[in-house]
Amino acid sequence: MGNIALNRKRRNKEKYKRIFVLLFFFIVSNSILSQGNKKIENILADSLFNLSSKNILAGNFKKALEHVENSLEIYKNLEKASSIGNCLSKMGTIYYYQGNFTKALSLYDESITYFKKSSYKKGISFSNNNKGAIYYYLGNYPKALDHYKKALKLHEELGNKTQAAGTIKNIGGIYLELEDYKNAMSYFQIAKKTLEKSLDTKTLSQVLNGIGEIYTQQGDYKNAEINFKEGLQLAKKTTDKQTIIEVLIGLGKLYNLQEKYKESLMYYKQSLQISTEINSPIFTSISKVAIGGINYKQGKNKLAIKTCKEGLEIAKKIKVISVQKDAYENLYKITKGIHKNKSALDYYEHMILLEDSLNIKKTTDKILNMKFEKQLLLDSIAHVDKEKKIQIRHLEEVNEKEKQRNVFIGSVFLVLIIAVGLWNRLRYTNKSKAILQIEKDRSEHLLLNILPEEIAQELKEKGYVDAQDFDKATILFTDFKSFTETASKLTPQELVEEINVCFKAFDNIMETYSIEKIKTIGDAYMAAGGLPKPSINSVKKTIIAALEMQAFTVKRKLENDAQGKPAFEMRVGIHAGPIVAGIVGVKKFQYDVWGDTVNTASRMESNGEVGKVNISQDVYELIKEDKEFSFEYRGKIKAKGKGALEMYFVSKTQL
């Protein structure tokens, strides 16, 4: 029995051993197979990514996007953060070339998140550089410069001299746009020196193009032509058609200024042909508007109008204001010359409106460089500190005199005089402090009535306030209908009281929903949501506030009607988008906002209806999924200076 049991035990042991060996080989083989599959998937993803790059150079953006999206899915499965970041950055570039700047910026931001996860500084630098390029095209030079400097810092840390030179070139481009030719030339020459030692003919071509532009602006046409033509030769050696287009446009502009229209037209037509081939709406619109301008100078008015309008429509779609302004200017000159005064006036109004939008960047530059002088500080918070120091110094002098007097009078009266002196000093100090505190409180209260709390705090700490860019703020405008007619039925005192009742109610609503009142202009009321502190709910809060403002106005009218008093009816308009905010003035300063978003919000109000809240397409897109609101589509409505805009009435959903 013992042997039988022993044999059974041995057989079981052998059996378990075989099972273990088989299991081991199964696990190992699966691991090897899995590693092999991952390697194959990685090779496939790399191939798709490279194909997307080739399609971008060929201008086939649809195919390029398809390849890079497929590549992205594989990299996500492989959990390769840096490769995911590269795909997102590539997608951003595709959307950038197609003029979809908002989508491109979003993708570059997302790519930076993945690059940071993998500590891939090179990727972070490239995405920042590309973001700078977008803000450059949009005319937001302070923001472009900020991103370029971030990219440059990373390039220098990594020792990437060629890439650093490319970013230095971009910074030079900003100074060129700001017409600071001295600094622009300085940056371009630094970049040129580095690039001449490298194989990066594309970036060197762009630098020579920038130098040519400086000479063009300065009227040195000979040196401009030398640099442009050298840049064109280098650009043609590359496969990057974007660079070729940029130099061709530079040459077209140069010959146009010299009234050599035949040569200018030749280069612009070449740039248009390549722009069309690679489906680049930015350069297509620039080329068409420029060609239209030359056609006008050659007396071909009909062709000039047609070409300028084609360029204008493309520029509108991609929201490039500078090209739109040039198109309207050409159309104004043409129609004025052929005595179509009504059309000319319409084009002129559009041109002026866009010029105002372009001048915002100049206003921004002034605000960014604004430094409040010492007089401002004396008139506000610092005045309190100065007075306090004077009072303390005065008390110290009094105390010193008292001590000297005590010495002469004698030791008998010393204790008494010191006691009296200390008592007087304490009482005087307390009285001074009380007076100073009252003045300080009054000053602070006045400042907070004028400025937002954060802005007032910055002003007190620094003596000036930096302007701020907001990617998304919600602007609200109200206006009373038939104000002049209603006001004529009231005495001046009654009119002021009625407006005051309404505006006080509006102020309380703004405070309830943390919306910043900007200003009142006559019977108009302007406010902004999402600043100075950005908020994800600012759009929704602004709409709710607008509905409550309308509800108050309707209720107020019913009350006045019952008493036989005149009452106001109101329109409200809302639009959301990018703005610049800052302080204007030195003594009677004011917190204000600028940007095309403000103009559009004003158009929403003027095209609204009494008792309703009119919103833009952009606002609708941001809140259309919110079940708390109902919407009434109004179609496309022509707005002064803006063309046909899609509008909606918004209201609270009835439960």
Side-chain angles (χ1 to χ4, degrees):
M1 290 294 290
N3 288 333
I4 292 170
L6 183 62
N7 289 333
R8 186 184 295 117
K9 190 175 181 180
R10 285 176 178 172
R11 284 197 300 272
N12 286 338
K13 188 175 181 181
E14 289 294 327
K15 180 181 177 182
Y16 291 137
K17 186 175 181 181
R18 286 196 298 274
I19 291 170
F20 174 76
V21 170
L22 287 169
L23 185 62
F24 173 76
F25 278 112
F26 176 77
I27 292 169
V28 170
S29 62
N30 270 302
S31 176
I32 293 169
L33 185 62
S34 175
Q35 288 177 4
N37 286 338
K38 285 186 176 180
K39 190 173 182 180
I40 292 168
E41 285 182 351
N42 196 75
I43 292 170
L44 176 60
D46 290 346
S47 299
L48 289 167
F49 184 82
N50 292 331
L51 276 172
S52 73
S53 299
K54 290 178 181 177
N55 277 284
I56 289 172
L57 291 173
N60 191 346
F61 298 124
K62 185 177 179 182
K63 202 71 178 174
L65 188 61
E66 183 183 324
H67 287 315
V68 78
E69 283 177 342
N70 291 331
S71 176
L72 176 62
E73 288 302 313
I74 299 171
Y75 285 134
K76 282 184 175 179
N77 290 332
L78 296 173
E79 297 181 348
K80 294 188 69 174
S82 60
S83 297
I84 293 170
N86 282 330
C87 286
L88 293 166
S89 180
K90 183 77 70 180
M91 289 165 68
T93 301
I94 293 168
Y95 281 109
Y96 161 67
Y97 282 149
Q98 294 179 97
N100 191 339
F101 298 133
T102 303
K103 183 72 173 176
L105 285 170
S106 174
L107 286 163
Y108 286 135
D109 281 333
E110 197 176 349
S111 73
I112 289 171
T113 302
Y114 280 97
F115 288 143
K116 285 180 178 178
K117 285 181 182 178
S118 57
S119 300
Y120 186 39
K121 290 185 177 181
K122 186 176 180 181
I124 298 170
S125 64
F126 275 118
S127 288
N128 270 308
N129 188 72
N130 291 338
K131 285 183 72 178
I134 291 175
Y135 283 117
Y136 170 83
Y137 269 109
L138 291 173
N140 191 336
Y141 302 129
K143 212 156 191 175
L145 191 60
D146 180 52
H147 286 292
Y148 283 148
K149 285 181 177 179
K150 287 178 182 177
L152 182 59
K153 184 180 178 183
L154 289 168
H155 285 319
E156 289 174 345
E157 286 178 10
L158 294 167
N160 296 332
K161 291 184 179 179
T162 304
Q163 286 82 2
T167 304
I168 289 169
K169 178 266 298 181
N170 292 338
I171 294 172
I174 291 176
Y175 282 111
L176 175 58
E177 288 294 333
L178 295 173
E179 299 178 3
D180 185 347
Y181 301 127
K182 184 179 179 181
N183 271 320
M185 183 65 84
S186 175
Y187 276 96
F188 283 144
Q189 292 294 354
I190 292 168
K192 182 183 177 185
K193 189 175 180 181
T194 302
L195 291 165
E196 283 175 337
K197 299 174 184 177
S198 74
L199 300 174
D200 190 351
T201 53
K202 171 188 168 181
T203 310
L204 180 56
S205 169
Q206 291 171 337
V207 169
L208 291 167
N209 187 45
I211 293 172
E213 179 66 22
I214 292 172
Y215 282 127
T216 300
Q217 295 295 334
Q218 293 177 330
D220 188 347
Y221 298 141
K222 183 178 179 181
N223 275 317
E225 185 177 28
I226 292 169
N227 281 276
F228 279 136
K229 289 194 171 179
E230 187 181 345
L232 184 60
Q233 287 178 353
L234 290 172
K236 286 180 177 179
K237 291 180 183 178
T238 72
T239 53
D240 189 272
K241 293 182 179 180
Q242 301 274 341
T243 307
I244 297 172
I245 295 169
E246 289 176 3
V247 184
L248 288 170
I249 288 173
L251 281 162
K253 182 179 178 181
L254 172 66
Y255 287 116
N256 190 13
L257 288 170
Q258 297 177 81
E259 298 182 359
K260 296 178 180 179
Y261 301 132
K262 184 179 178 181
E263 292 89 339
S264 177
L265 202 57
M266 178 185 73
Y267 285 114
Y268 276 128
K269 283 183 175 179
Q270 288 179 32
S271 70
L272 177 59
Q273 182 183 349
I274 301 172
S275 301
T276 307
E277 287 173 5
I278 66 170
N279 191 27
S280 172
I282 298 170
F283 292 123
T284 301
S285 61
I286 292 171
S287 302
K288 278 185 174 290
V289 171
I291 290 169
I294 295 171
N295 289 334
Y296 160 63
K297 291 174 181 176
Q298 293 178 324
K300 301 173 183 177
N301 294 328
K302 190 174 180 180
L303 180 60
I305 291 172
K306 178 178 177 293
T307 311
C308 283
K309 282 184 175 180
E310 289 172 352
L312 175 61
E313 289 306 310
I314 298 169
K316 281 182 177 179
K317 286 180 183 177
I318 59 176
K319 298 180 180 179
V320 179
I321 294 174
S322 59
V323 181
Q324 292 179 54
K325 179 258 175 186
D326 290 342
Y328 280 122
E329 186 174 0
N330 285 344
L331 289 166
Y332 161 65
K333 290 177 180 177
I334 298 165
T335 50
K336 184 183 177 185
I338 58 178
H339 306 296
K340 289 187 176 181
N341 296 331
K342 187 177 179 182
S343 296
L345 181 60
D346 186 48
Y347 291 134
Y348 180 77
E349 287 178 351
H350 280 83
M351 180 188 78
I352 294 300
L353 186 65
L354 292 169
E355 275 185 350
D356 289 342
S357 294
L358 288 171
N359 285 334
I360 288 169
K361 79 175 182 64
K362 294 181 180 179
T363 305
T364 305
D365 296 335
K366 290 178 182 178
I367 294 170
L368 288 169
N369 295 322
M370 189 188 298
K371 303 294 180 186
F372 290 92
E373 298 179 1
K374 291 181 181 179
Q375 187 61 44
L376 171 63
L377 299 178
L378 292 173
D379 291 342
S380 55
I381 294 84
H383 179 68
V384 174
D385 294 332
K386 184 177 179 181
E387 288 295 318
K388 187 176 179 180
K389 289 176 182 177
I390 292 170
Q391 295 290 349
I392 291 171
R393 191 160 56 247
H394 174 68
L395 292 172
E396 289 173 350
E397 290 173 359
V398 170
N399 187 42
E400 185 65 26
K401 289 178 180 179
E402 286 177 348
K403 288 181 181 179
Q404 292 174 1
R405 194 183 307 147
N406 289 338
V407 171
F408 286 106
I409 292 174
S411 59
V412 179
F413 299 100
L414 183 61
V415 175
L416 179 61
I417 292 173
I418 290 174
V420 172
L422 288 173
W423 170 253
N424 285 336
R425 181 184 175 187
L426 179 61
R427 188 174 64 176
Y428 187 75
T429 302
N430 288 338
K431 186 177 179 181
S432 298
K433 283 182 178 179
I435 293 169
L436 290 172
Q437 189 61 47
I438 290 169
E439 290 300 321
K440 183 178 179 182
D441 291 344
R442 185 181 298 166
S443 177
E444 294 227 6
H445 179 70
L446 179 61
L447 201 60
L448 291 173
N449 271 337
I450 298 170
L451 305 176
E453 186 176 351
E454 294 80 1
I455 302 301
Q457 188 61 37
E458 184 181 353
L459 177 61
K460 288 191 289 182
E461 290 174 359
K462 296 164 60 178
Y464 63 93
V465 175
D466 292 319
Q468 290 179 285
D469 286 296
F470 292 89
D471 291 330
K472 186 180 75 176
T474 313
I475 305 298
L476 175 151
F477 269 102
T478 76
D479 194 45
F480 293 130
K481 182 187 176 185
S482 304
F483 175 77
T484 304
E485 181 183 342
T486 306
S488 66
K489 300 174 184 178
L490 298 167
T491 66
Q493 185 176 349
E494 289 172 338
L495 176 62
V496 172
E497 286 177 358
E498 186 62 26
I499 293 175
N500 189 45
V501 168
C502 294
F503 283 179
K504 278 177 70 177
F506 295 170
D507 287 348
N508 290 334
I509 294 170
M510 296 303 107
E511 188 174 354
T512 300
Y513 293 102
S514 302
I515 298 167
E516 190 64 39
K517 174 185 176 182
I518 301 300
K519 59 187 172 184
T520 59
I521 309 168
D523 62 314
Y525 190 98
M526 178 183 176
L531 59 90
K533 285 186 178 180
S535 167
I536 57 173
N537 294 319
S538 64
V539 177
K540 181 175 181 178
K541 286 181 177 180
T542 306
I543 290 173
I544 293 172
L547 292 169
E548 288 192 12
M549 292 166 80
Q550 281 289 27
F552 170 83
T553 306
V554 170
K555 182 182 176 184
R556 180 70 179 173
K557 187 176 188 307
L558 290 172
E559 292 172 353
N560 282 9
D561 287 346
Q563 298 174 30
K565 295 180 179 179
F568 295 125
E569 293 179 301
M570 185 173 74
R571 294 185 300 264
V572 180
I574 299 174
H575 178 59
I579 63 159
V580 175
I583 287 183
V584 176
V586 177
K587 290 186 178 181
K588 294 182 180 179
F589 40 76
Q590 176 185 328
Y591 187 67
D592 210 342
V593 295
W594 302 267
D596 194 54
T597 299
V598 178
N599 296 332
T600 305
S602 177
R603 298 298 179 267
M604 290 301 113
E605 175 274 310
S606 59
N607 287 279
E609 290 183 8
V610 166
K612 294 189 177 183
V613 176
N614 191 35
I615 62 173
S616 66
Q617 176 73 23
D618 289 348
V619 175
Y620 170 74
E621 291 295 335
L622 292 169
I623 60 163
K624 64 182 179 181
E625 303 298 333
D626 195 319
K627 303 300 182 187
E628 195 173 335
F629 300 115
S630 297
F631 306 94
E632 178 189 340
Y633 180 57
R634 303 181 64 202
K636 288 189 175 182
I637 296 174
K638 189 173 182 182
K640 184 179 178 182
K642 303 297 293 183
L645 299 177
E646 292 186 291
M647 301 182 191
Y648 297 78
F649 286 137
V650 61
S651 59
K652 279 283 189 75
T653 301
Q654 299 296 322
L655 299 177

